Amino acid sequence: MIKLEHIHKSFRVAKRKEGLGSAFRALFHREYQIIPALRDISFEIAAGEIVGYIGPNGSGKSTTIKIMSGILRPDSGNCLINGQIPWQNRKHYVGQIGVVFGQRSQLWWDVPVIDSFSLLQDIYDIPDKAYAKTLSELTATLDLAEIIQLPARQLSLGQRMRCEIAASLLHDPRILFLDEPTIGLDAVSKLAVREFIQKQNQEKGTTIILTTHDMQDIEALASRILLIGKGQILFDGRYADLKKQAKTGLSAEEMVAELYREYQI
Amino acid sequence: MKLYWKYFAIHLKSQLQYKVSFLLMILGQFLSTFSAFIGLYFMMQRFHQVEGFSYQEVLLCFAVVSLAFSLAECFARGFDTFSTMIGNGEFDRILVRPRHEIFQVLASKIEFSRIGRLLQSLFILLVVIIKTPYLWCFDKGLTILLMILGGTVVFSALFLIYAGLCFFTTDGLEFINIFTDGGREFGRYPLSIYGDSILKFFTYIVPLALFQYYPLLYLTGRSNQPLYIFFPCLSGLFLFPAYLIWKTGLKRYQSTGS
């Protein structure tokens, strides 16, 4: 279903030094630095899996997600998802995936959420019947009935995130990428989101790749985790195995912190 | 096209949420163009003509260029604010949707408050046309129409170039405004008044003269060359290099943030 082989990606960033003088010099001559973001990333994910993708800030999680969703093209390596290369024939490919960026909204701020949904129906060319069916299912499971008539600016973060997730699933994608879906949510909303993700996976068989810093997300959802640090995959396996390796008596949070220290990432 | 209307409706709905702000913006836009008009009016009061062009003729030029510019600004506004779109990650969202990215950028910003400027230019144009009987025939009407369309295309292409360059710099490049805002300012007078080399520049490099100066020669009877009517269509060729810059930039897109 998803197969990444030897993906490399680096970014070219301008070196900046402090001080006004060097800022001025940089206008005329700029030094660039190549920063490797991903170094030889390979993994496979089967259809119907939920995979938790974890790693500290700046380790390359988002870059991987962006490559898998066709936003970025890697410097080298192969990526085959559903038999397609994401950044080739982008328009066709992205019709089959759903992406939630937890930190960015895709809803229109000033109009009722339902209007945003209806625009998405046209963007994805969803037939009326299928749209009505998916919408009613999502409304029921995510408990949206009362909030979709409100403009997004009036929603709480938890309510908005539920709407964001629904917006990414209207076209019934086979694969769902969730980039920090529980960031900033209160306990109740977190649980609701987790429960929904699980249901979506079990009942619809949607393949889900989830990045998060919240280890409880991982504990509750992912049977398999991928740990990335400094652009390399450091651990790929079952969450239970990782737990066995670690000292007993540690919470999930402490265990991961320990792991980050161990790998010096 | 149906999808564009849907975007159109949702933009209108959003912008009408803030009625007072919306109306004030329209008023502001109206007044700012009006001041430009007053400037031109006083100039012409004093000098009566520029390089042989009468007040009426300059006004015609002024109205056409303003109208084209405000149309482009109304509909191609997404390119004008493209650097923020890259900065806040909105463009990532565009890339994960199954529609052409240029269409989505176009549709993501429609600025209705520019209607203030649009109405004003339209008003001036109508007054000039009513007062100038020799424009009342089919070929001259067609010429004016093509001038407006051609101008909209050239200004939109300039906005597209501006956006395309954002891929290389992430930040907007203000120097392009020399051609967009500057083009609007320059274009208020027939481009020949700035001298031969400037006219050449605006013919072959940034083709403002193709929709402004040459058709104007035909409109005012300075030339009988009927080909000048269709010169604005030629300016559409400017879209090709603009699109090329955009495509090259898109390939280099690095995205930002997490």
Side-chain angles (χ1 to χ4, degrees):
Chain A
M1 182 90 174
I2 299 181
K3 191 174 186 183
L4 272 73
E5 286 176 320
H6 310 296
I7 295 280
H8 287 263
K9 173 81 191 171
S10 50
F11 293 110
R12 203 173 77 125
V13 279
K15 262 192 204 164
R16 279 171 221 271
K17 289 173 209 138
E18 57 198 87
L20 193 61
S22 55
F24 190 68
R25 268 196 301 282
L27 275 178
F28 303 101
H29 176 74
R30 205 171 251 191
E31 283 172 52
Y32 288 95
Q33 204 174 4
I34 305 289
I35 300 213
L38 298 178
R39 290 184 281 191
D40 202 19
I41 296 278
S42 305
F43 58 80
E44 273 182 61
I45 294 172
E49 264 191 291
I50 297 192
V51 176
Y53 198 30
I54 58 170
N57 293 326
S59 56
K61 294 190 301 291
S62 291
T63 307
T64 320
I65 297 278
K66 280 175 186 168
I67 286 174
M68 289 195 286
S69 50
I71 295 172
L72 293 176
R73 49 181 77 206
D75 300 336
S76 64
N78 298 320
C79 174
L80 211 61
I81 297 178
N82 248 351
Q84 297 164 70
I85 299 171
W87 54 94
Q88 278 173 10
N89 204 354
R90 180 189 65 79
K91 268 189 288 177
H92 180 71
Y93 169 73
V94 296
Q96 306 159 15
I97 60 165
V99 189
V100 175
F101 296 111
Q103 318 219 41
R104 292 166 185 168
S105 178
Q106 58 171 320
L107 303 169
W108 289 70
W109 200 239
D110 290 318
V111 296
V113 174
I114 188 75
D115 287 352
S116 294
F117 286 0
S118 144
L119 183 66
L120 285 170
Q121 182 196 354
D122 284 11
I123 291 176
Y124 284 97
D125 235 338
I126 309 166
D128 285 339
K129 248 191 182 160
Y131 174 74
K133 184 167 169 278
T134 325
L135 183 61
S136 70
E137 281 171 13
L138 289 168
T139 313
T141 42
L142 282 165
D143 196 15
L144 300 177
E146 281 164 27
I147 52 178
I148 47 175
Q149 301 300 335
L150 298 173
R153 71 180 133 92
Q154 286 177 16
L155 301 182
S156 73
L157 189 58
Q159 290 172 327
R160 217 190 67 212
M161 192 55 72
R162 268 146 55 205
C163 293
E164 297 280 349
I165 293 177
S168 303
L169 287 169
L170 286 171
H171 57 293
D172 199 15
R174 299 312 309 136
I175 305 175
L176 179 63
F177 297 102
L178 297 163
D179 197 1
E180 308 192 19
T182 55
I183 194 161
L185 300 190
D186 63 42
V188 178
S189 309
K190 257 185 200 171
L191 287 178
V193 166
R194 275 181 207 149
E195 201 181 316
F196 174 78
I197 293 173
Q198 203 146 36
K199 224 173 180 176
Q200 178 75 17
N201 173 259
Q202 278 163 3
E203 287 172 13
K204 297 239 169 177
T206 313
T207 310
I208 293 171
I209 292 102
L210 159 102
T211 79
T212 182
H213 290 294
D214 187 331
M215 289 319 295
Q216 270 142 17
D217 283 351
I218 300 289
E219 233 174 342
L221 289 173
S223 54
R224 175 180 167 198
I225 60 170
L226 284 167
L227 172 71
I228 184 175
K230 289 186 184 157
Q232 286 174 309
I233 299 279
L234 300 172
F235 178 86
D236 175 0
R238 297 174 55 80
Y239 177 69
D241 293 335
L242 189 67
K243 218 169 172 180
K244 255 182 251 162
Q245 275 182 31
K247 285 179 237 164
T248 45
L250 291 182
S251 71
E253 212 95 89
E254 289 166 327
M255 187 178 84
V256 170
E258 185 83 353
L259 211 63
Y260 288 176
R261 253 174 263 144
E262 195 180 310
Y263 287 114
Q264 299 186 335
I265 53 178
Chain B
M1 207 54 216
K2 188 187 152 227
L3 183 59
Y4 191 78
W5 282 115
K6 195 118 183 191
Y7 270 104
F8 193 87
I10 208 167
H11 276 294
L12 194 60
K13 210 167 165 183
S14 296
Q15 287 173 36
L16 288 178
Q17 287 283 310
Y18 306 98
K19 285 190 200 78
V20 179
S21 146
F22 184 68
L23 291 174
L24 283 177
M25 276 290 271
I26 291 186
L27 189 70
Q29 289 287 329
F30 189 90
L31 289 178
S32 74
T33 321
F34 198 64
S35 65
F37 167 70
I38 300 265
L40 186 126
Y41 175 77
F42 283 125
M43 281 288 240
M44 296 309 283
Q45 281 279 303
R46 239 179 125 69
F47 301 107
H48 304 292
Q49 57 172 27
V50 204
E51 293 272 314
F53 287 95
S54 72
Y55 175 52
Q56 292 277 319
E57 289 162 347
V58 171
L59 211 52
L60 183 63
C61 202
F62 171 87
V64 165
V65 171
S66 298
L67 194 58
F69 185 82
S70 41
L71 276 171
E73 224 189 6
C74 209
F75 297 106
R77 180 81 176 148
F79 296 124
D80 200 15
T81 56
F82 190 65
S83 57
T84 31
M85 249 174 160
I86 289 191
N88 65 17
E90 221 179 307
F91 191 61
D92 287 355
R93 177 53 65 188
I94 281 178
L95 287 177
V96 298
R97 294 226 167 111
R99 295 283 169 172
H100 198 280
E101 64 284 347
I102 289 193
F103 169 80
Q104 288 190 72
V105 175
L106 274 180
S108 70
K109 294 257 154 45
I110 302 172
E111 201 68 66
F112 292 103
S113 57
R114 294 298 186 271
I115 281 174
R117 187 179 275 171
L118 210 118
L119 285 178
Q120 156 136 55
S121 327
L122 202 62
F123 177 73
I124 296 176
L125 184 65
L126 285 178
V127 170
V128 176
I129 292 178
I130 289 168
K131 280 189 159 178
T132 323
Y134 68 76
L135 293 175
W136 301 351
C137 53
F138 175 74
D139 58 334
K140 306 240 157 143
L142 179 70
T143 313
I144 292 178
L145 194 69
L146 288 177
M147 283 167 87
I148 295 167
L149 288 178
T152 313
V153 169
V154 172
F155 282 122
S156 303
L158 280 168
F159 285 134
L160 182 60
I161 291 178
Y162 174 79
L165 290 176
C166 288
F167 285 121
F168 298 93
T169 59
T170 312
D171 238 346
L173 280 175
E174 290 298 320
F175 88 86
I176 293 286
N177 289 351
I178 297 173
F179 303 116
T180 52
D181 291 332
R184 186 191 67 210
E185 300 294 326
F186 278 136
R188 288 187 171 145
Y189 299 93
L191 286 167
S192 59
I193 68 165
Y194 304 108
D196 211 28
S197 47
I198 299 274
L199 181 63
K200 277 209 176 94
F201 177 81
F202 281 123
T203 304
Y204 299 107
I205 315 288
V206 181
L208 294 175
L210 289 184
F211 72 83
Q212 193 242 39
Y213 176 68
Y214 300 102
L216 190 72
L217 292 183
Y218 182 79
L219 273 186
T220 54
R222 282 184 175 70
S223 158
N224 288 322
Q225 174 59 269
L227 272 180
Y228 280 172
I229 301 176
F230 300 101
F231 261 43
C233 302
L234 271 183
S235 61
L237 292 174
F238 191 49
L239 278 174
F240 288 104
Y243 185 68
L244 208 67
I245 292 177
W246 168 269
K247 270 287 166 199
T248 319
L250 185 61
K251 275 197 181 146
R252 290 179 39 125
Y253 178 58
Q254 288 210 336
S255 183
T256 50
S258 58

